[in-house]
Amino acid sequence: MSLVIEELSKSFGDRLILSNLSFTLKRGEFVSIIGPSGSGKSTLFHVIGGLLVPEEGHITLNGTKITGERGHMSYMPQQPSLFPWRTVLQNATLGSELSGAPNEELAKQLLQKANLGDMLKAYPHQLSGGMKQRVAFIRALLSPQSIMCLDEPFSALDSFTKKDMQRWLLETWEQYDKSILFITHDIEEALFLSDKIIILSTNPATIKEIVEVPFSRPRSNQLYLSEEFLQWKKKIVENLL
Amino acid sequence: MSLVIEELSKSFGDRLILSNLSFTLKRGEFVSIIGPSGSGKSTLFHVIGGLLVPEEGHITLNGTKITGERGHMSYMPQQPSLFPWRTVLQNATLGSELSGAPNEELAKQLLQKANLGDMLKAYPHQLSGGMKQRVAFIRALLSPQSIMCLDEPFSALDSFTKKDMQRWLLETWEQYDKSILFITHDIEEALFLSDKIIILSTNPATIKEIVEVPFSRPRSNQLYLSEEFLQWKKKIVENLL
Amino acid sequence: MKMKFSKIWRPALALLLFLFLWEGLTRFLEIEPWVLPAPSLIMKEMIEVFPSFTPHIISTVKLVLIGFTFGILAGITTATILHVFPKVRETIMPFLVISQNVPIIVLAPLFMIWFGMGDFPKVLIIAMTAFFPIAIATLDGFGQTDRELMHYMKMMGATRKQIFFKLQLPHAIPSIFSGIKIAATYSVMTGVVAEWLGAQQGIGVFMTLSASSYRTPRVFVAIVVTIILSLAFFGLFLALEKLFTRWNREGVEK
Amino acid sequence: MKMKFSKIWRPALALLLFLFLWEGLTRFLEIEPWVLPAPSLIMKEMIEVFPSFTPHIISTVKLVLIGFTFGILAGITTATILHVFPKVRETIMPFLVISQNVPIIVLAPLFMIWFGMGDFPKVLIIAMTAFFPIAIATLDGFGQTDRELMHYMKMMGATRKQIFFKLQLPHAIPSIFSGIKIAATYSVMTGVVAEWLGAQQGIGVFMTLSASSYRTPRVFVAIVVTIILSLAFFGLFLALEKLFTRWNREGVEK
Amino acid sequence: QGEEKSKDSEGQSNSESQEDLKKVQLFLDWTPNTNHSGIYVAKDQGYFEEEGLDVDIMLPGEVRTEQIVATGKAEFGISFQTQVTQARAENIPVVSIAAIIQQNTGGYYTPTDKGIKTPKDFEGRVYGAYGSDLEKSMLQAVMKKEGGDAEKVDMVQVGNTDYFIATKRDVDFVNIFYAWTGIEGEVRGADMHFIKTIDYAPELNTYSPVIITNEEMIEQDPETVQAFVTAVLKGYEYAIENPQKTADILIAEEPDLNPELVKRSQEWLSPLYQEDAPVWGTQEEKRWVDYAKFMYDENIIDVEVDASAAFTNQFIENAKK
Ligand SMILES: Nc1ncnc2c1ncn2[C@@H]1O[C@H](COP(=O)(O)OP(=O)(O)OP(=O)(O)O)[C@@H](O)[C@H]1O
Ligand SMILES: Nc1ncnc2c1ncn2[C@@H]1O[C@H](COP(=O)(O)OP(=O)(O)OP(=O)(O)O)[C@@H](O)[C@H]1O
Ligand SMILES: [Mg+2]
Ligand SMILES: [Mg+2]
C-alpha cells in the first residue's frame, strides 16, 4: 500500500501551478503538506484524486499507475461540500454509500462522538461552520478507501474540538491501518500528527523540503510544550519563509 | 460610536442558542469572541447584523435601538460567499457598491497587497480557499461602515499570509477609526489583536468571561514569545474548558 | 389548516371580484349571451348539462393523465439521455426543437393516417407537448449542478450513475418541477385541442359541438371546466414540488 | 471556428440521414405526395414558391419578433412583481394559469371584437404564450437564490432593489434562459397559428391556403420554414445564454 | 383492407355492434348538422344494420376528410364538389357517390346595417375568408355580373370563428351555408342580409355537400359501397318525408346541438335534399364538367380534371333497383 508521486506538473492555462513534484506516501504513513495559501495544495489533491490530469508525471499506487483514475482515496474537500438535501446522517454515510457499504450505525456513533448527536436529522444549512466541517470529516472517515486525503480538515474548529478530532483521527488511522495525506496551515498540528512534512514553495509549487518528524508515538499533549517541538517548529517556519 | 448588546437571547425552534448576552463594543475598540464550535458565535453576528431578530434583548448603536435593523456593520461571513458571476475585483467592491461608493482603485491596491494582483479578472471558482477568504476580507474592509464584524476571517490562511492580513487589519482599523468584532478560534490571534476577549460557553452560549487584554499598542511579533503572553493564553485556555 | 385558508382567501376573493365585474359588465352593457355570457348564465348552463357532460370530462381527464404521465417520463428520460451523452445531445437537440414546431393541426392528419383513430394519436400529442418543456428545464437543471459537490463526487470515484442519482437528479428537482408546472398548465388544453382531431367524446368534442350550434354559454362551460382541471393539475404539481423540496424549508428561515 | 464546425457536423449529418431515409421511404413505398411529399419535392416546391412566399415569411417574422420581445419583457416583469410581492403572487397565480388555458381558437373571436383585425391581437397571443413559461421559470429561478449570498446581502443592509439586481436576477439568469428557450421554441408556431385568426399575410395564411387546395408539398414548405425559423430563434437564445453565463465556463474545466 | 380497418376502430364501436356486421367509418365534413340528417336516420332506424353495416360517425376536427378517405383510414366521408374537384386535381383519388343537396345553399352574409345590398357593394369592404384559394375567384364570379372588381375587396382570414361575432367589428361580410348559419341568424333574430351565390353566379351551383369514398373501395368492395348508399338513400328519403321526426332523431343522437336550430334548419332543408332530381343523390355530369372548367380557367387547379371520374351515379341507380 504505497502511493508514489513522480515528477508531477500541472498548469492552469499558462500558469504553472505544480512543478515537478515527487514524493512517496508509504503504507500506514501520515504525511502533512504545508505551503502558502494559493500555492497549489488543493490542486495537488485534485491531481492525485484523478479530478485533474497532470501534464507530466505519474501517480502509482502499489506499483500500478493510477494517473487520472478516480476513487482510490477517501477525500475531505477544503469546503465542506455537504449535500443540502441530505440530512447530517445521510451526508455522513455518502462516502461509504458510493462504495456500496454504508454503515449507518457506525455513522451515528461517530456523529455522537463529534457532538452532533442532536443533529442527525438536521440539514446542512442548520449547522454552524465547524459542524459542517465535522460532518465532512466523518464522511471521509467512513469511506472505506485505505488512503485518506484531508484538505484542511480542522480549520474551522476551536482548539478543543480540534484536539478531539485529531486524537480521534489518530485512533482511526492506527486502528484501520490507513495512510493519510493531510493539508494544514497549522505547523504545530502538522508536527504533532505526522511522520513526514512536505513543505511547498509557491508560484509554482515545488517541494522545498521534506521534514521527517522524529517524535515517537503515541504522542501526548505534553509534546507541545517540549523544547524539541519548539525547535522543530522554528525550523519549519524558517523553511517556509 | 458604541455598540451595546443587552440581555440578548435567541433560539432556533426549541433550542436556546444565545442566552442573555450583554456586552459593549466601544468606539475604536477591537473585541474578539471565542467559544466552542457550534456555540453560537455566527448566530450572534446574525442577530447583531439584523438578519435574525432576538427573542429578548436589545442592540443599541450610539444610543439608538437598532435591534433587527440591517446595514449598520460591514460583515465578513464565515464562508467566503463570493458571487460566482462576479470577478475578484467586482466581488471586492460589492460591499462598498451597496453603500453607493465603490472605489475600484483602492480595491485594486488592496487586492495587489493581498497577492491577488494577477487574479483581478478571475472568477471565484478559479481561486484557492485562502484566496477566496482574502477577497471576502477585502470586501469587508472596503465597506464603509465603521463597525466591522469578521467571522473567522483568517481560518483558511497559512501563518505568513495570516500575519500579513492581521497587520493590515490593524493598520486599517487604526487609520479609519473602526470598531471591530472578531470571531476566531485562534487564542493567540485573539490575544495579539484585541483589546477585549469575550469567551462564550456553549449550549446555550452565555458569556463565561470578558478578558481585558493588557498589552500596549502597537504590538510587535515579539509579543508572541513573551512570558506574559503565554500566561494569558493559558488563562484563556483554562477559561474555555 | 389555518395557514391553508390564509393562502386561499386572497385568490378566491380576487376571483369573486372578477366574476362580479364580469357579471356586472354583461348586464350593464347588455352584452348578448352569444357574445359573452354572464357567469351566472354559465353557472346555470353548467348545472344543467352536467350529467351529460360528465362522461366527456372523464374521457378527457383520462386522456390527459395518460398523456401527461408519458410526457413526464419521456421528458425526464430524454433529458437524462441527452445529459449523459453530450454527443447525442448535439445530434438530437435540433430534432427536439423541430418536433415542437410542426403544428398539431398539420400533424393531425398524418398521425391519423399513421396511427389510426384511437386514443393513441391523442395521447401522443399530449405527451409530445408536455415532454419538451420538461426535457429542456430538466436538462438545464442537470447542467447547473454545484461545482464543489461535483468535485467531491468525482474525487470519490463515484460512477456516472451515482453522480446522476445522488447529485444531479436531486439537484435538478426544482428545475424539473419548473418544467412540469409549465407543461401541466398546457396539458389539459392540449388534450381538448387534440380531441378536435377526431374523437367521439371529450371536452373538445363537447366544445366544438356547442360552438357549431352557436351555444356560447356551453362553450364557456367547457372552458371553465378546462380551466378548473388545469388549476387542479397545476396545484397537484405545486404540492408535489413542496413535498420534494421540503429540505429547503426545514428549520428556521432567516 | 474549428470548434464550431465540430459542433455542427453531427446534427447536420443526422439531418441528412433523416432526409435521405425519408426520401428513400417515400420512393420505395411509393407514398403519394399528398400523403407525405419527398424532401426533394418539397425542395423543388420551395424554390418555386419562394418569391411569392417571402413576403409571408417576413410578415410572420416581424410578428413573432415583436410578440416575443413583449413576451420576454412581460414574463420577466411579471415574475419580478410576483416575486417581490408574495401576496400579489398568491392572488394572481391562478389567473396566470387560467390565462394559459383559454384555447386561442376560443379567444380569437373575442380578441377580434376587442382589438380588431390588425397585428395587435396576434402580437398579444404570441406574447401571451411566450410569457408564461418565462414567468414560471424566472419565478422559480428567483426562488432558488443561494442562501449564503442572500445572508451576506441582508447583513450588509442591501435594499430590496439591490438584492434583486445584484443577487436574485443574475442568479436566475440560467432559469430565465431555460424559460426563454422553451418559449422560443413555440413562438414561431404560435405566430403561424395566430395568423389563422385573422390575417392577410403570413406563413399561417399560406399554410391554410395550401392545405385547403390539397397542395401538401406547399404545406410542408411552410412547415419547413417554420421549423428553420424556430431553430434560428432557439439558436439565438442559446448563444445569448452562453454569452450571459460565460463566467460559468471561464478557466480550466475540471 | 376492410378487415384491418375494423380492428382500428375497435374500442370506439357503438353498443349495438354485432359480430356479422361490417364496420365502416364515416367522416363528417364539420360538426353534425342537418346536412347529415339522413345518415343519422339510417343509423337510428336500423337501415345500416339491414344492409349489414355498422357505421361509426367521426368528427373531422382539423383533419381533411378527403385525405382520410383517400388513404382508406375511413371508408366514407362528407365533402363538397369544390373540394372533390380540387382534391382530384392533386391526384387524391376520392369519388363522389351521392349529392346530399342538389343546390348550393351558400352565400354571403352581412349585417344589414353595413349597407351591403348586392355583390357590387363588396368593393372596399372586408371579407372574412375561411381560408381557401377559391374564395377570390368565387367573389369575382359573383361580383362580375354587376361589373364589380374582387381586387377591391380586402380579404382577411378569419378561419372557423363564430361569424356573428366576426361581423361585429372589422369584418363586413362572410361566406356561409344558409341551412345552418342562416337559420341560426333567424333563431337569434339577428338583423342580417343574405346574398345567395347562385343568384349571381349560376356556374357556382355545386353539389354541396356530397358523400365520398375512394376509388379503391369502388373497385375492390363495391358491395359495401352499395350497401352504404342504399341505407343512406333510405335515410334521406325518410328525412324528406318526416322533417319533424328527423330533427328529433338528430337531436337525440347529438344532444349537444341546439334543438331549436336543428328543428328549424330541418324544416328549411328537407325540401331541398332532392328537389327536381329523379332520385335523391343523383348528380349531373354537366355540372361537374362546368365547375372543373371554371376552376381550371381561374387557375385554381393546374390540370384539367376528368369530371366524369369524379363522381358516379351507379350506386344511387342500383339502390333504386
Ligand atoms: N438556520 C438554523 N436553523 C436551526 N439551527 C441553526 C441554524 N443556524 C444555526 N443553528 C444552530 O445554532 C447553533 C449555533 O450555530 P453558529 O453557527 O452560531 O455556531 P458558531 O459558534 O458560529 O460555530 P462555528 O465555530 O462552528 O462556526 C448550532 O448548534 C447550529 O446547529
Ligand atoms: N479551476 C481553476 N482555474 C484556474 N486556476 C485555478 C483553478 N483552480 C485553482 N487555480 C489556481 O491554482 C492555484 C492553486 O490553487 P489551490 O487551490 O491548489 O491552492 P491551495 O494551496 O489549496 O491554497 P489554499 O491554502 O488557499 O487553499 C491558485 O493560484 C488558483 O488561483
Ligand atoms: Mg486549498
Ligand atoms: Mg460560525
Side-chain angles (χ1 to χ4, degrees):
Chain A
M1 202 37 84
S2 85
L3 182 75
V4 183
I5 313 291
E6 283 172 291
E7 300 177 353
L8 218 56
S9 296
K10 172 74 201 165
S11 320
F12 284 121
D14 308 332
R15 277 179 66 214
L16 183 62
I17 305 291
L18 305 178
S19 165
N20 202 21
L21 298 186
S22 306
F23 64 89
T24 308
L25 174 70
K26 294 207 215 73
R27 172 171 182 166
E29 214 176 12
F30 194 126
V31 173
S32 292
I33 298 170
I34 58 180
S37 166
S39 55
K41 304 179 294 298
S42 303
T43 304
L44 175 61
F45 269 21
H46 291 158
V47 174
I48 294 177
L51 184 63
L52 296 174
V53 179
E55 279 101 41
E56 280 169 45
H58 312 290
I59 300 152
T60 322
L61 183 65
N62 299 330
T64 327
K65 249 191 224 159
I66 58 157
T67 323
E69 282 181 22
R70 294 165 180 175
H72 293 287
M73 358 242 131
S74 120
Y75 171 59
M76 171 174 172
Q78 192 170 1
Q79 316 282 342
S81 307
L82 301 181
F83 287 43
W85 54 86
R86 286 180 161 239
T87 61
V88 164
L89 182 60
Q90 289 166 340
N91 263 297
T93 54
L94 176 62
S96 44
E97 228 178 275
L98 293 177
S99 314
N103 185 338
E104 214 171 84
E105 268 323 299
L106 186 59
K108 272 187 195 157
Q109 271 174 37
L110 293 188
L111 287 168
Q112 210 92 42
K113 266 211 218 165
N115 272 325
L116 292 165
D118 302 343
M119 310 296 279
L120 293 184
K121 299 224 159 110
Y123 288 95
H125 73 260
Q126 299 171 288
L127 302 184
S128 82
M131 287 167 149
K132 283 182 204 160
Q133 207 169 37
R134 279 175 273 163
V135 176
F137 177 59
I138 289 170
R139 182 174 65 180
L141 277 189
L142 288 170
S143 306
Q145 293 87 341
S146 63
I147 297 182
M148 292 176 72
C149 294
L150 307 176
D151 196 344
E152 303 192 28
F154 307 137
S155 64
L157 302 180
D158 64 292
S159 49
F160 292 101
T161 316
K162 192 188 242 178
K163 280 268 139 56
D164 276 356
M165 296 294 127
Q166 287 172 353
R167 191 160 8 90
W168 199 17
L169 173 60
L170 288 180
E171 275 170 26
T172 315
W173 170 57
E174 278 157 12
Q175 189 178 341
Y176 295 101
D177 195 22
K178 302 214 172 193
S179 317
I180 296 181
L181 269 182
F182 189 93
I183 295 177
T184 182
H185 286 308
D186 184 336
I187 300 170
E188 296 194 357
E189 184 178 50
L191 270 173
F192 183 76
L193 293 175
S194 25
D195 299 319
K196 230 160 62 183
I197 301 176
I198 297 173
I199 303 174
L200 293 185
S201 67
T202 189
N203 270 328
T206 56
I207 296 186
K208 253 195 183 165
E209 179 146 6
I210 302 188
V211 179
E212 300 273 350
V213 181
F215 310 124
S216 65
R217 294 190 192 264
R219 296 170 186 169
S220 83
N221 279 343
Q222 297 306 315
L223 189 60
Y224 282 109
L225 306 172
S226 75
E227 189 55 31
E228 212 189 342
F229 192 84
L230 290 179
Q231 222 55 47
W232 276 101
K233 182 176 168 191
K234 216 181 237 165
K235 195 182 147 191
I236 291 172
V237 168
E238 275 158 16
N239 232 318
L240 266 170
L241 278 176
Chain B
M1 199 40 82
S2 86
L3 181 75
V4 183
I5 313 291
E6 284 172 292
E7 301 179 351
L8 217 58
S9 296
K10 171 74 200 166
S11 321
F12 284 122
D14 306 333
R15 275 179 67 214
L16 182 61
I17 304 291
L18 304 178
S19 166
N20 202 20
L21 297 187
S22 305
F23 63 90
T24 308
L25 174 70
K26 294 206 215 70
R27 173 173 182 165
E29 215 175 13
F30 194 128
V31 173
S32 291
I33 300 170
I34 59 181
S37 167
S39 55
K41 304 180 294 297
S42 302
T43 305
L44 175 61
F45 268 20
H46 291 160
V47 173
I48 294 177
L51 185 63
L52 295 173
V53 180
E55 280 100 39
E56 279 168 44
H58 313 291
I59 299 153
T60 322
L61 182 65
N62 299 330
T64 327
K65 250 191 220 158
I66 58 156
T67 323
E69 282 180 22
R70 293 164 181 174
H72 293 288
M73 0 243 130
S74 123
Y75 170 60
M76 171 173 173
Q78 192 170 2
Q79 317 283 341
S81 307
L82 301 181
F83 286 45
W85 53 86
R86 285 178 163 242
T87 61
V88 165
L89 182 60
Q90 288 166 340
N91 264 296
T93 54
L94 177 61
S96 44
E97 227 178 275
L98 293 178
S99 315
N103 184 339
E104 215 172 82
E105 269 322 299
L106 187 59
K108 274 186 194 160
Q109 272 176 36
L110 293 189
L111 287 167
Q112 210 92 42
K113 267 209 219 167
N115 271 326
L116 293 165
D118 302 344
M119 310 296 278
L120 295 183
K121 297 223 158 114
Y123 288 96
H125 73 262
Q126 299 171 286
L127 302 184
S128 82
M131 287 168 151
K132 283 184 204 158
Q133 207 169 37
R134 278 175 274 162
V135 176
F137 177 59
I138 290 171
R139 182 173 65 181
L141 276 190
L142 287 171
S143 305
Q145 292 88 342
S146 61
I147 298 182
M148 291 176 71
C149 295
L150 307 176
D151 197 345
E152 303 192 27
F154 307 136
S155 65
L157 302 182
D158 65 291
S159 49
F160 292 101
T161 316
K162 193 187 237 175
K163 280 267 139 58
D164 276 355
M165 296 294 128
Q166 286 172 353
R167 189 160 9 91
W168 200 16
L169 173 61
L170 288 180
E171 273 170 28
T172 316
W173 169 57
E174 279 158 10
Q175 190 177 339
Y176 295 102
D177 196 22
K178 302 213 171 192
S179 317
I180 295 181
L181 269 181
F182 188 93
I183 296 178
T184 182
H185 286 309
D186 185 337
I187 300 171
E188 294 193 0
E189 184 177 49
L191 269 175
F192 183 75
L193 293 175
S194 26
D195 299 318
K196 231 160 60 182
I197 300 177
I198 298 173
I199 303 174
L200 294 185
S201 67
T202 187
N203 271 327
T206 55
I207 294 186
K208 251 192 181 168
E209 180 146 2
I210 300 188
V211 179
E212 300 274 348
V213 181
F215 309 124
S216 65
R217 292 187 194 266
R219 295 168 187 173
S220 80
N221 279 342
Q222 298 306 315
L223 188 61
Y224 282 108
L225 306 172
S226 74
E227 190 54 32
E228 212 190 342
F229 192 85
L230 289 178
Q231 224 52 49
W232 276 101
K233 182 177 169 189
K234 215 180 236 165
K235 195 184 147 192
I236 292 173
V237 169
E238 275 158 17
N239 232 318
L240 265 171
L241 280 175
Chain C
M1 271 328 285
K2 214 177 157 202
M3 231 197 83
K4 283 273 154 105
F5 174 75
S6 80
K7 288 229 158 182
I8 284 276
W9 72 263
R10 230 180 276 274
L13 197 75
L15 198 67
L16 270 180
L17 197 76
F18 174 71
L19 291 177
F20 197 74
L21 268 177
W22 177 356
E23 180 83 34
L25 265 177
T26 47
R27 279 172 193 250
F28 184 70
L29 300 178
E30 295 183 5
I31 297 177
E32 302 247 19
W34 49 272
V35 174
L36 184 66
S40 57
L41 190 65
I42 298 175
M43 200 61 210
K44 215 182 106 227
E45 193 78 21
M46 169 111 78
I47 293 164
E48 198 170 294
V49 299
F50 208 78
S52 70
F53 191 23
T54 316
H56 289 292
I57 299 179
I58 292 171
S59 157
T60 303
V61 167
K62 236 170 54 195
L63 218 59
V64 171
L65 282 182
I66 299 172
F68 199 67
T69 309
F70 278 113
I72 294 180
L73 293 180
I76 297 178
T77 312
T78 309
T80 306
I81 294 173
L82 297 195
H83 177 73
V84 176
F85 304 106
K87 285 177 189 170
V88 177
R89 175 163 70 239
E90 281 168 28
T91 317
I92 296 287
M93 204 57 176
F95 288 90
L96 287 192
V97 179
I98 288 176
S99 78
Q100 297 305 305
N101 273 288
V102 187
I104 292 180
I105 322 281
V106 176
L107 265 190
L110 291 180
F111 269 29
M112 293 184 62
I113 290 173
W114 297 336
F115 307 117
M117 222 65 77
D119 282 348
F120 183 71
K122 281 163 257 168
V123 167
L124 194 68
I125 283 174
I126 297 171
M128 263 182 67
T129 18
F131 134 95
F132 187 74
I134 299 175
I136 289 285
T138 306
L139 203 52
D140 284 332
F142 287 158
Q144 288 163 38
T145 314
D146 186 277
R147 200 185 294 260
E148 313 254 345
L149 303 187
M150 180 59 105
H151 286 181
Y152 172 76
M153 290 300 267
K154 287 190 172 165
M155 287 285 282
M156 291 300 293
T159 59
R160 292 180 109 185
K161 194 172 136 192
Q162 286 174 329
I163 290 183
F164 180 74
F165 281 108
K166 291 186 195 294
L167 174 55
Q168 295 175 316
L169 187 63
H171 195 274
I173 292 230
S175 301
I176 296 178
F177 271 102
S178 190
I180 291 183
K181 280 186 291 178
I182 293 172
T185 312
Y186 296 125
S187 61
V188 181
M189 194 186 80
T190 311
V192 171
V193 173
E195 281 164 351
W196 293 346
L197 93 231
Q200 295 183 302
Q201 222 180 24
I203 299 177
V205 173
F206 179 85
M207 205 187 272
T208 0
L209 285 178
S210 308
S212 62
S213 60
Y214 305 100
R215 293 188 151 176
T216 314
R218 286 205 181 179
V219 175
F220 274 82
V221 169
I223 294 178
V224 168
V225 171
T226 308
I227 287 173
I228 291 173
L229 287 178
S230 303
L231 282 177
F233 228 52
F234 188 86
L236 174 70
F237 287 101
L238 207 63
L240 279 179
E241 179 185 23
K242 290 241 165 86
L243 197 72
F244 271 98
T245 55
R246 212 172 0 134
W247 57 268
N248 210 4
R249 264 176 306 282
E250 284 257 333
V252 181
E253 256 321 301
K254 293 185 182 176
Chain D
M1 269 329 286
K2 215 176 155 203
M3 231 198 84
K4 282 275 154 104
F5 174 75
S6 81
K7 287 232 156 181
I8 285 277
W9 73 264
R10 231 179 275 275
L13 197 75
L15 198 67
L16 270 179
L17 197 78
F18 175 71
L19 291 177
F20 197 75
L21 267 176
W22 177 357
E23 181 82 34
L25 265 176
T26 46
R27 278 169 195 254
F28 184 71
L29 299 178
E30 295 182 6
I31 296 176
E32 302 257 12
W34 52 270
V35 174
L36 184 65
S40 57
L41 189 66
I42 298 175
M43 200 61 209
K44 214 182 105 226
E45 192 78 22
M46 170 111 75
I47 292 164
E48 199 170 296
V49 299
F50 208 79
S52 68
F53 191 23
T54 315
H56 289 291
I57 300 179
I58 292 172
S59 156
T60 304
V61 168
K62 238 171 55 194
L63 217 60
V64 171
L65 282 181
I66 299 172
F68 199 67
T69 309
F70 278 114
I72 294 180
L73 294 180
I76 298 178
T77 312
T78 310
T80 306
I81 293 172
L82 298 193
H83 177 71
V84 176
F85 304 106
K87 285 179 186 167
V88 177
R89 174 163 71 240
E90 283 168 26
T91 317
I92 295 287
M93 204 57 176
F95 288 91
L96 287 193
V97 180
I98 288 175
S99 77
Q100 297 305 305
N101 272 289
V102 187
I104 292 181
I105 323 279
V106 176
L107 267 189
L110 292 178
F111 270 30
M112 277 170 39
I113 291 197
W114 297 336
F115 310 115
M117 211 64 74
D119 283 347
F120 184 71
K122 281 163 262 168
V123 167
L124 193 69
I125 284 175
I126 297 171
M128 263 181 67
T129 18
F131 133 96
F132 187 73
I134 299 175
I136 289 284
T138 306
L139 205 52
D140 284 333
F142 287 158
Q144 289 163 36
T145 315
D146 186 277
R147 201 184 293 262
E148 313 254 345
L149 302 187
M150 180 59 107
H151 287 181
Y152 172 76
M153 289 301 266
K154 286 190 174 165
M155 287 286 281
M156 289 301 293
T159 60
R160 291 180 108 184
K161 196 173 134 192
Q162 287 174 328
I163 290 183
F164 180 73
F165 282 106
K166 291 185 195 294
L167 174 56
Q168 295 175 317
L169 187 62
H171 196 273
I173 292 231
S175 302
I176 295 178
F177 271 103
S178 190
I180 290 182
K181 280 186 292 179
I182 293 171
T185 312
Y186 295 125
S187 61
V188 182
M189 193 187 81
T190 311
V192 171
V193 173
E195 281 164 352
W196 294 345
L197 93 234
Q200 295 182 293
Q201 221 178 23
I203 300 177
V205 173
F206 180 85
M207 205 187 270
T208 1
L209 288 181
S210 307
S212 69
S213 54
Y214 309 97
R215 297 198 157 149
T216 314
R218 287 208 181 174
V219 175
F220 273 81
V221 169
I223 294 178
V224 168
V225 170
T226 308
I227 287 173
I228 291 174
L229 288 178
S230 303
L231 282 176
F233 227 52
F234 189 84
L236 174 71
F237 286 102
L238 207 62
L240 279 179
E241 178 185 23
K242 289 240 166 88
L243 198 72
F244 271 100
T245 54
R246 212 171 1 134
W247 57 268
N248 210 4
R249 265 174 308 279
E250 285 258 335
V252 182
E253 255 322 299
K254 295 185 179 177
Chain E
Q1 205 198 354
E3 298 301 322
E4 274 173 44
K5 276 316 79 45
S6 47
K7 265 181 220 148
D8 279 347
S9 48
E10 256 172 28
Q12 17 181 304
S13 61
N14 287 354
S15 49
E16 51 193 297
S17 82
Q18 288 170 18
E19 312 238 331
D20 48 344
L21 293 183
K22 184 172 167 68
K23 265 186 165 297
V24 293
Q25 289 194 334
L26 168 80
F27 240 78
L28 300 185
D29 55 323
W30 201 46
T31 43
N33 58 61
T34 43
N35 281 347
H36 311 133
S37 297
I39 293 155
Y40 281 91
V41 169
K43 189 167 173 160
D44 182 70
Q45 298 290 306
Y47 301 156
F48 285 132
E49 236 168 288
E50 283 167 24
E51 299 291 334
L53 295 179
D54 174 14
V55 178
D56 260 340
I57 299 176
M58 305 295 295
L59 302 189
E62 298 293 335
V63 180
R64 302 249 149 223
T65 305
E66 296 75 24
Q67 281 169 327
I68 293 293
V69 171
T71 52
K73 281 286 155 181
E75 285 78 3
F76 303 100
I78 309 293
S79 182
F80 299 85
Q81 183 181 342
T82 52
Q83 252 98 310
V84 171
T85 311
Q86 239 175 331
R88 289 194 65 88
E90 298 293 327
N91 285 322
I92 301 175
V94 288
V95 179
S96 165
I97 49 178
I100 291 179
I101 303 174
Q102 288 290 322
Q103 265 193 37
N104 179 359
T105 68
Y108 297 92
Y109 206 42
T110 171
T112 309
D113 56 20
K114 299 257 183 191
I116 298 177
K117 301 246 155 45
T118 70
K120 178 97 171 82
D121 301 333
F122 292 165
E123 284 185 359
R125 298 306 187 107
V126 180
Y127 170 57
Y130 53 81
S132 160
D133 279 344
L134 257 178
E135 289 176 275
K136 189 149 223 171
S137 308
M138 285 173 53
L139 266 180
Q140 183 54 52
V142 170
M143 290 170 73
K144 174 181 64 189
K145 189 173 176 190
E146 299 177 338
D149 181 3
E151 290 300 326
K152 294 190 183 144
V153 179
D154 259 344
M155 299 245 289
V156 173
Q157 280 210 41
V158 297
N160 250 335
T161 52
D162 184 324
Y163 294 121
F164 295 97
I165 295 180
T167 49
K168 279 241 148 181
R169 200 174 152 138
D170 309 60
V171 171
D172 294 315
F173 64 106
V174 292
N175 189 296
I176 60 153
F177 283 113
Y178 197 82
W180 193 253
T181 310
I183 300 294
E184 167 69 14
E186 287 181 15
V187 171
R188 285 186 190 185
D191 192 6
M192 304 292 279
H193 180 59
F194 182 66
I195 299 169
K196 200 171 176 187
T197 305
I198 53 175
D199 289 348
Y200 291 86
E203 68 269 35
L204 296 185
N205 191 12
T206 53
Y207 294 107
S208 32
V210 297
I211 297 175
I212 58 170
T213 186
N214 63 53
E215 288 178 355
E216 201 177 313
M217 274 295 286
I218 294 179
E219 235 161 77
Q220 317 264 321
D221 193 5
E223 298 81 20
T224 303
V225 179
Q226 187 60 60
F228 185 81
V229 172
T230 308
V232 168
L233 173 59
K234 275 196 231 168
Y236 277 98
E237 283 178 341
Y238 179 97
I240 293 166
E241 301 291 320
N242 312 295
Q244 295 299 342
K245 282 191 207 153
T246 303
D248 290 338
I249 290 171
L250 183 56
I251 292 163
E253 288 278 337
E254 297 290 350
D256 295 319
L257 297 178
N258 183 352
E260 193 187 352
L261 173 60
V262 172
K263 283 186 185 139
R264 287 184 58 172
S265 170
Q266 193 63 61
E267 196 86 34
W268 188 86
L269 192 58
S270 281
L272 299 181
Y273 286 136
Q274 185 171 350
E275 282 191 289
D276 46 1
V279 183
W280 171 87
T282 313
Q283 306 166 66
E284 280 177 36
E285 177 154 3
K286 180 169 180 312
R287 279 170 66 181
W288 281 90
V289 171
D290 288 352
Y291 194 70
K293 186 168 175 314
F294 167 77
M295 286 183 102
Y296 182 73
D297 292 343
E298 289 289 327
N299 278 325
I300 293 161
I301 53 181
D302 303 331
V303 292
E304 286 191 78
V305 172
D306 175 10
S308 62
F311 79 99
T312 170
N313 280 325
Q314 92 187 69
F315 298 103
I316 291 290
E317 283 160 10
N318 285 339
K320 266 304 176 196
K321 277 177 193 157

